[in-house]
Amino acid sequence: MSAPLTILGSGHAGITLARDLRKLAPDLPLRLITREDGHYYYKPDLSKAFAAGKDADGLIKNPLEQLVEQLKAEVLARKDVTAIDPAAHAVQVDGQWLPYSKLVLATGADVIRLPIAGDAAAEMLSVNDREDYARFRSLLQPGARVLIIGAGLIGCEFANDLAAGGYAVRVVDIAGWPLNRLLPEAQGRALQDGLGKLGVTWQLGASVASLDRVGGAIEARFSDDSRATVDVVLSAVGLRPRIRLAADAGIACKAGIVVDDHLQTSAPDVYALGDCIEVNGRLLPYILPIANASRALAATLAGTPTKARFPAMPVIVKTPACPTLVNPPPPVAGSWEVTGTAPDLEAVYKDEAGKPLGFALTGAATSKRGQYVPLMPAIHEPA
């Protein structure tokens, strides 16, 4: 029997690829290796599970046994791949080298941990998988006071979800407004107001200096010398692509694992997909780019080389308190032009020559998505 095509990771990228591949190559030997328990869940659901009343088990869409049957694949769960040998076409698991015909790195991203002082700093949580969510949920008593560090996409989504679920939420961020890297100030303020009406308290322009245990609670001290007493601290300051395994194997990496238009890395027969990759200098940690890339990569792996296209793909921010949609512009000098009345605002990011490169919509203006998408350049169009 030939060595199996091997996918590292059972997150959305890895499972989507396996499903796309099975449509094209139903008999191809396939192996998935994952550090998680192998049950499939939709990771974006993590930040909206509280208001939906779902516990960690309630997020499971396909139990491991069902997934194995659907994919007709071998799934090695609770296994860490400790090394890749591209020359030998093998990965190391539990000290054993397992051969592969082709390898796909769908390893995702790790949470960024901030260096914070205090004897309760180690109690700071993050939610990057279903097990993290189970731990976080187990610590939340009804009406608990939650401090969220980070007012980015994940922080705002959790703030909306937790506040809607009856928790007292405070969000701290060094930025002046929420989603400051994605939205102009006027729209960031609209989001701030929307979540504020839901009960979210904001601590903007400040960072957390220390976290200390005081009785049964945690005292947070901020850089502006203010303090707050909370029960649980959630860090949501961002994600960093998991590249160490690839880098240790000599595979080219920058901020992410560098791939070409076919999603191939610098190593022969090694590809990458999802939050861990870098395409033409950009990270694409969103659902729609993964879907596009997965279809192209499945075709390539099934024998029909296909370049991955990344057209304009707006990101839906899961904040019902202030609906928000953004098509992030590339890191090019320019400015936002904002029209409308808060919270129903439309913004277009234009370069210095006046070319539209991105847009953002809030409130009722999100219904105008179809008017803006055709105006946007592709994120990446292969040559």
Side-chain angles (χ1 to χ4, degrees):
M1 182 177 177
S2 62
L5 187 149
T6 300
I7 300 172
L8 304 189
S10 64
H12 183 65
I15 299 301
T16 298
L17 174 63
R19 287 176 170 155
D20 286 340
L21 192 56
R22 270 293 169 250
K23 296 173 186 175
L24 302 175
D27 299 319
L28 181 73
L30 181 61
R31 172 186 287 153
L32 278 76
I33 306 176
T34 176
R35 61 174 59 178
E36 296 189 50
D37 57 19
H39 300 315
Y40 174 66
Y41 63 97
Y42 186 56
K43 192 170 181 179
D45 286 348
L46 291 171
S47 62
K48 62 176 186 177
F50 282 93
K54 291 187 176 182
D55 61 13
D57 287 343
L59 291 173
I60 296 173
K61 294 184 178 296
N62 300 110
L64 174 58
E65 298 77 11
Q66 185 182 81
L67 195 65
V68 169
E69 182 179 350
Q70 288 179 350
L71 297 178
K72 296 180 177 60
E74 177 188 12
V75 179
L76 303 183
R78 302 253 183 235
K79 298 293 184 181
D80 272 320
V81 174
T82 51
I84 301 170
D85 186 340
H89 278 56
V91 296
Q92 187 177 51
V93 181
D94 292 340
Q96 178 184 5
W97 286 97
L98 303 178
Y100 64 79
S101 57
K102 290 182 173 60
L103 180 67
V104 179
L105 307 178
T107 49
D110 287 314
V111 296
I112 297 171
R113 301 285 294 184
L114 295 176
I116 294 176
D119 59 21
E123 299 179 45
M124 181 171 56
L125 302 173
S126 57
V127 177
N128 194 34
D129 57 40
R130 197 172 61 84
E131 292 181 5
D132 288 343
Y133 173 74
R135 191 177 306 112
F136 182 44
R137 189 180 179 91
S138 70
L139 295 174
L140 285 174
Q141 300 300 315
R145 298 161 295 182
V146 182
L147 173 65
I148 298 177
I149 304 175
L153 192 147
I154 299 300
C156 287
E157 290 184 348
F158 266 106
N160 197 132
D161 192 50
L162 292 168
Y167 297 97
V169 179
R170 176 185 294 266
V171 180
V172 58
D173 197 293
I174 58 174
W177 63 87
L179 263 63
N180 76 304
R181 294 183 180 181
L182 294 176
L183 300 178
E185 182 172 359
Q187 289 180 313
R189 296 295 182 198
L191 178 59
Q192 179 181 347
D193 291 345
L195 291 174
K197 291 174 182 175
L198 202 60
V200 175
T201 299
W202 297 93
Q203 190 95 16
L204 298 172
S207 59
V208 178
S210 62
L211 297 169
D212 290 286
R213 176 60 65 177
V214 178
I218 297 173
E219 183 181 73
R221 182 172 62 83
F222 303 105
S223 58
D224 59 7
D225 288 330
S226 63
R227 299 170 187 264
T229 301
V230 299
D231 301 300
V232 179
V233 180
L234 176 67
S235 176
V237 294
L239 298 171
R240 182 179 290 117
R242 289 188 182 123
I243 63 172
R244 176 170 293 182
L245 189 63
D248 288 348
I251 296 170
C253 297
K254 293 180 181 177
I257 301 171
V258 177
V259 296
D260 65 14
D261 288 342
H262 289 94
L263 300 171
Q264 183 167 347
T265 71
S266 61
D269 294 324
V270 180
Y271 300 79
L273 178 72
D275 292 357
C276 64
I277 71 170
E278 180 175 330
V279 180
N280 197 27
R282 294 185 67 177
L283 304 177
L284 303 173
Y286 305 113
I287 294 300
L288 287 178
I290 289 174
N292 271 40
S294 176
R295 288 190 293 269
L297 181 54
T300 294
L301 296 173
T304 304
T306 304
K307 294 181 178 181
R309 294 180 61 256
F310 296 95
M313 291 178 277
V315 178
I316 298 173
V317 185
K318 299 186 291 292
T319 49
C322 178
T324 302
L325 180 76
V326 58
N327 190 90
V332 173
S335 59
W336 287 101
E337 295 180 4
V338 183
T339 57
T341 303
D344 309 322
L345 297 170
E346 304 170 42
V348 178
Y349 188 88
K350 297 181 178 180
D351 66 14
E352 294 176 340
K355 179 182 178 180
L357 298 177
F359 71 89
L361 308 171
T362 53
T366 54
S367 65
K368 298 184 178 182
R369 165 181 176 165
Q371 298 177 26
Y372 285 93
V373 171
L375 305 177
M376 296 296 111
I379 297 173
H380 176 63
E381 192 71 49

